[in-house]
Amino acid sequence: MLFIIYLIFLFVSSIDLQTIKHLHEISIQEELPIGSMVTSLTDKVPNLDQSIEYDLVTPLSTDLDLFSVDHKQHSLIIKNRIDYEYLCLKKKHCIISVSIAVSNEDTIDVYILPIRILNINDNIIKFHVNRTVIEIEENDENWSKKSYPLPKAYDDDGDLITYSIYLQNWNTPDGLFDFDEINLLLKPLKKFDREEQNIYLLRLIAHNQNDASTDIIVLIKDLNDNPPKCQQNHTIFLITNISIPSIYSLNVTDIDEGDNAKLEYRLVNPLSGFSIDRYNGQIKFDYKKWINSNQSVLIINATDHGKPLRLSTQCFIEIKFTSLFSIDFKSNNSVINQTNISIEIENLNNPLGYFLLYDKQENKLCTNCLIHINSSIKDFFYLNYLTYDLYLNLNSIVLMKMLTNYYINKENISLTIQIDITDSKNPSIKSTKNYSVELYFNKINILIHSNIFFLKIHENILLNDKIPIFNRYHHCLNNQSNELILSDSTHTFEIERNFHLVLKKYLNVKQQKIYHLTLQQKENNSTKNVSLSFQIVTNFILVD
């Protein structure tokens, strides 16, 4: 066989053109299995069964060495893989010419059989990229003039491809983007604001006999169009301990991103003892470096690193010191345990005690302090703002009701008081202390030791009715031989010699609830004052 083929090659190289004969073209599909029969040679080559030998002429290119001869079946079979996309589209060989050399007794004839390769749909449609990222500048004034290319799908079979585009939820991007299917372009339909939405996820679908998809990620590029913003719900730097440095973390946000949101901080009005970290905005207070002044607000400038212009804002931080003043309550007739006070009340004329205010920075008693007292029972106490002495407020309605009720000789009341101390020169310095107070009233001792007598009368008392004020516990009101002089600025009452008050005007609780009267007792050409306090009460008749 090798010898014959060699002769054929020698012959073909020198044979006359009349010895080459052309057969009719046949067609076969690509990707036929190796060994498959292409055609019967006895049907194509005349008198093949009378020839001595026949075989294929080896092609010059190995890419075209696709066929072989089955001599037993006298047929042409597939020798190697036949790929239409490789042969026709890449190598431009859509027709493969097979040369069959047939040897007779004295001649060798060459028959050329054209074989056309037919394409089948054996390749799926695909994109060469899994995703494409498109960046669009936010608030772009030229948005209507811009478009962005989309990736093209490929089908090696060369079939027609159509496209469609959707959002991730399979809705069409109406109002957001326009899709140019012919040119595969994505066009914005508006200006985009990154702070409103910074990313849009789309899916590009390619269609023919099957579908393929690729992700389109649209990123809205940040523009430095938002200044930093101070969080107004954190504006007080509360300094509660001066023994250790205090730190306040400034809460400033910038809704831009990257350098457009990277912030830098600066103190506009530097105050002694205060410093700020340039990069994280932490404010630190060092008491050892602090000098008292009348400034109580820190002004912070926060600036971003955006381009082309840096944007900034100012934050105002109010300073509050709560530990510069110490507050202590002192009393000779009280039991004091830190913030718990127990007091026996025997004399309403004497103070309950006094407050001692100490300035820790100056290491001395406070001279610029303003004190304010607030109790859980309104107006129950009175404070002397010069001496800081604490008294019971004898005008208190609650206290009046207690002291006019002699059915209960001993009575106690629990309440809380809050002491607020501020510096008159610096409103940022304020100290507060809360006390729990228990007051014990011995009403007999109060009558004996206090030059005050409390009475309760009713609004419906008649004119000229007499109100007895004799009291055996009070030294001025238990001797009817004493001569008393009444002082009443309202001219509502008169006094009789036998210790009776006489009503001269009708009482109206809506006009006046409390009357303060002063009795003067004459003794050996001298006088002693006794204060009378009246509380008017109204009788109510309940009807079902």
Side-chain angles (χ1 to χ4, degrees):
M1 179 67 67
L2 293 175
F3 179 74
I4 295 175
I5 294 174
Y6 175 70
L7 290 179
I8 291 174
F9 274 106
L10 292 179
F11 181 80
V12 169
S13 63
S14 61
I15 197 167
D16 190 273
L17 292 177
Q18 292 180 354
T19 62
I20 299 176
K21 301 179 180 180
H22 292 273
L23 302 176
H24 294 294
E25 178 184 302
I26 64 172
S27 299
I28 63 170
Q29 290 183 342
E30 65 169 325
E31 301 294 354
L32 289 175
I34 294 175
S36 299
M37 186 178 74
V38 176
T39 186
S40 174
L41 293 178
T42 56
D43 295 337
K44 300 294 183 182
V45 179
N47 303 316
L48 183 66
D49 54 348
Q50 299 177 6
S51 64
I52 299 173
E53 288 288 347
Y54 66 92
D55 212 334
L56 298 181
V57 178
T58 304
L60 298 178
S61 172
T62 56
D63 291 336
L64 304 179
D65 188 15
L66 304 173
F67 305 98
S68 63
V69 172
D70 183 344
H71 290 86
K72 293 182 179 180
Q73 300 292 331
H74 303 293
S75 61
L76 188 67
I77 63 174
I78 303 296
K79 177 182 179 182
N80 290 312
R81 179 191 175 206
I82 299 176
D83 182 14
Y84 173 86
E85 287 72 33
Y86 176 77
L87 294 172
C88 184
L89 300 181
K90 186 175 181 180
K91 296 295 185 179
K92 308 300 181 184
H93 294 303
C94 296
I95 298 177
I96 309 298
S97 295
V98 177
S99 298
I100 306 168
V102 180
S103 174
N104 295 313
E105 291 182 355
D106 53 354
T107 63
I108 295 178
D109 296 322
V110 177
Y111 295 90
I112 297 176
L113 176 64
I115 302 175
R116 180 176 294 277
I117 307 302
L118 301 179
N119 185 28
I120 63 173
N121 189 23
D122 61 337
N123 292 285
I124 62 173
I125 187 174
K126 60 184 177 180
F127 288 95
H128 288 332
V129 293
N130 291 330
R131 67 179 60 86
T132 299
V133 178
I134 296 174
E135 293 187 343
I136 297 178
E137 292 184 356
E138 73 167 322
N139 296 320
D140 188 357
E141 297 296 336
N142 298 315
W143 63 269
S144 61
K145 301 177 181 178
K146 295 185 178 180
S147 58
Y148 302 88
L150 297 175
K152 182 180 180 181
Y154 295 89
D155 186 345
D156 289 338
D157 296 320
D159 296 329
L160 178 66
I161 301 175
T162 59
Y163 298 89
S164 58
I165 195 166
Y166 300 93
L167 296 171
Q168 286 295 96
N169 58 6
W170 295 105
N171 291 329
T172 55
D174 298 332
L176 298 174
F177 302 99
D178 184 32
F179 175 47
D180 182 350
E181 183 182 1
I182 297 176
N183 299 305
L184 277 182
L185 294 174
L186 189 68
K187 298 180 179 181
L189 293 177
K190 67 170 189 174
K191 288 193 297 185
F192 289 92
D193 185 354
R194 190 201 71 88
E195 286 69 47
E196 179 182 327
Q197 185 170 338
N198 65 345
I199 186 171
Y200 294 87
L201 302 178
L202 297 94
R203 186 174 296 276
L204 180 64
I205 313 295
H207 312 275
N208 55 18
Q209 284 85 354
N210 50 66
D211 292 344
S213 67
T214 184
D215 292 331
I216 308 297
I217 303 174
V218 180
L219 299 178
I220 309 302
K221 292 177 61 178
D222 186 45
L223 179 70
N224 192 29
D225 57 346
N226 292 282
K229 184 177 180 181
C230 303
Q231 298 301 310
Q232 297 301 321
N233 57 336
H234 295 92
T235 57
I236 297 179
F237 186 0
L238 195 62
I239 300 171
T240 59
N241 193 335
I242 60 175
S243 61
I244 59 174
S246 297
I247 295 177
Y248 178 84
S249 295
L250 190 63
N251 191 359
V252 182
T253 58
D254 192 322
I255 58 177
D256 292 321
E257 65 178 357
D259 284 344
N260 293 337
K262 184 179 179 181
L263 300 178
E264 188 174 315
Y265 303 87
R266 178 178 61 87
L267 272 172
V268 177
N269 61 332
L271 299 180
S272 62
F274 292 90
S275 61
I276 190 168
D277 189 290
R278 178 181 176 184
Y279 299 106
N280 63 22
Q282 274 196 345
I283 303 172
K284 184 177 180 181
F285 172 71
D286 188 348
Y287 175 72
K288 297 178 181 179
K289 300 178 181 179
W290 179 64
I291 299 175
N292 193 349
S293 69
N294 59 357
Q295 296 190 57
S296 59
V297 176
L298 285 173
I299 304 175
I300 314 298
N301 192 79
T303 306
D304 64 28
H305 285 244
K307 295 179 180 179
L309 296 176
R310 300 179 68 176
L311 303 178
S312 63
T313 191
Q314 285 190 347
C315 305
F316 299 88
I317 309 300
E318 185 180 355
I319 307 166
K320 290 289 186 184
F321 297 92
T322 62
S323 59
L324 287 179
F325 297 141
S326 64
I327 305 171
D328 290 313
F329 183 73
K330 304 293 183 180
S331 178
N332 295 327
N333 58 345
S334 305
V335 177
I336 304 173
N337 181 15
Q338 295 182 347
T339 58
N340 296 315
I341 303 174
S342 298
I343 304 176
E344 290 280 351
I345 308 297
E346 292 188 349
N347 193 328
L348 300 177
N349 302 106
N350 297 331
L352 303 177
Y354 65 96
F355 291 100
L356 185 65
L357 312 179
Y358 190 78
D359 189 328
K360 296 179 183 179
Q361 186 185 38
E362 300 292 338
N363 291 323
K364 64 180 183 180
L365 292 176
C366 183
T367 57
N368 298 316
C369 287
L370 299 177
I371 186 170
H372 176 74
I373 183 171
N374 186 28
S375 65
S376 57
I377 300 177
K378 186 178 180 181
D379 298 329
F380 200 81
F381 296 102
Y382 161 75
L383 182 68
N384 186 319
Y385 291 98
L386 296 178
T387 63
Y388 304 144
D389 286 332
L390 183 66
Y391 294 88
L392 289 173
N393 179 14
L394 301 183
N395 292 324
S396 167
I397 298 298
V398 175
L399 183 60
M400 283 281 190
K401 289 180 178 180
M402 290 180 59
L403 296 179
T404 56
N405 183 9
Y406 292 104
Y407 291 104
I408 303 176
N409 287 331
K410 294 183 179 181
E411 191 172 358
N412 66 295
I413 186 170
S414 300
L415 68 164
T416 60
I417 58 174
Q418 176 179 306
I419 307 299
D420 295 323
I421 308 298
T422 56
D423 190 328
S424 61
K425 295 182 179 180
N426 189 344
S428 66
I429 302 175
K430 180 179 179 179
S431 293
T432 298
K433 192 169 185 179
N434 294 312
Y435 288 96
S436 296
V437 181
E438 191 81 17
L439 299 177
Y440 299 93
F441 291 88
N442 188 327
K443 298 176 184 178
I444 302 301
N445 287 339
I446 291 175
L447 285 171
I448 295 173
H449 296 99
S450 296
N451 202 25
I452 301 175
F453 179 47
F454 292 86
L455 289 176
K456 179 166 63 176
I457 61 177
H458 294 279
E459 182 186 35
N460 58 358
I461 188 172
L462 300 177
L463 289 179
N464 297 314
D465 273 2
K466 296 180 181 181
I467 305 165
I469 59 173
F470 175 82
N471 188 284
R472 62 189 180 92
Y473 296 104
H474 199 286
H475 66 282
C476 290
L477 300 177
N478 60 10
N479 187 354
Q480 296 187 2
S481 62
N482 293 334
E483 183 179 353
L484 298 177
I485 302 173
L486 177 66
S487 295
D488 178 10
S489 60
T490 65
H491 304 291
T492 306
F493 299 93
E494 291 182 352
I495 186 73
E496 286 189 344
R497 183 174 181 81
N498 56 356
F499 286 80
H500 284 86
L501 292 177
V502 181
L503 182 65
K504 293 300 182 183
K505 291 182 180 180
Y506 286 109
L507 302 178
N508 188 336
V509 72
K510 294 181 179 179
Q511 295 178 356
Q512 187 168 346
K513 290 184 178 181
I514 300 174
Y515 288 83
H516 298 287
L517 308 178
T518 302
L519 290 175
Q520 292 182 320
Q521 178 186 8
K522 288 186 177 182
E523 285 186 355
N524 299 325
N525 297 323
S526 63
T527 60
K528 292 183 179 179
N529 291 340
V530 178
S531 295
L532 296 178
S533 294
F534 293 90
Q535 180 191 19
I536 302 175
V537 297
T538 305
N539 292 328
F540 295 93
I541 300 176
L542 302 179
V543 180
D544 292 336

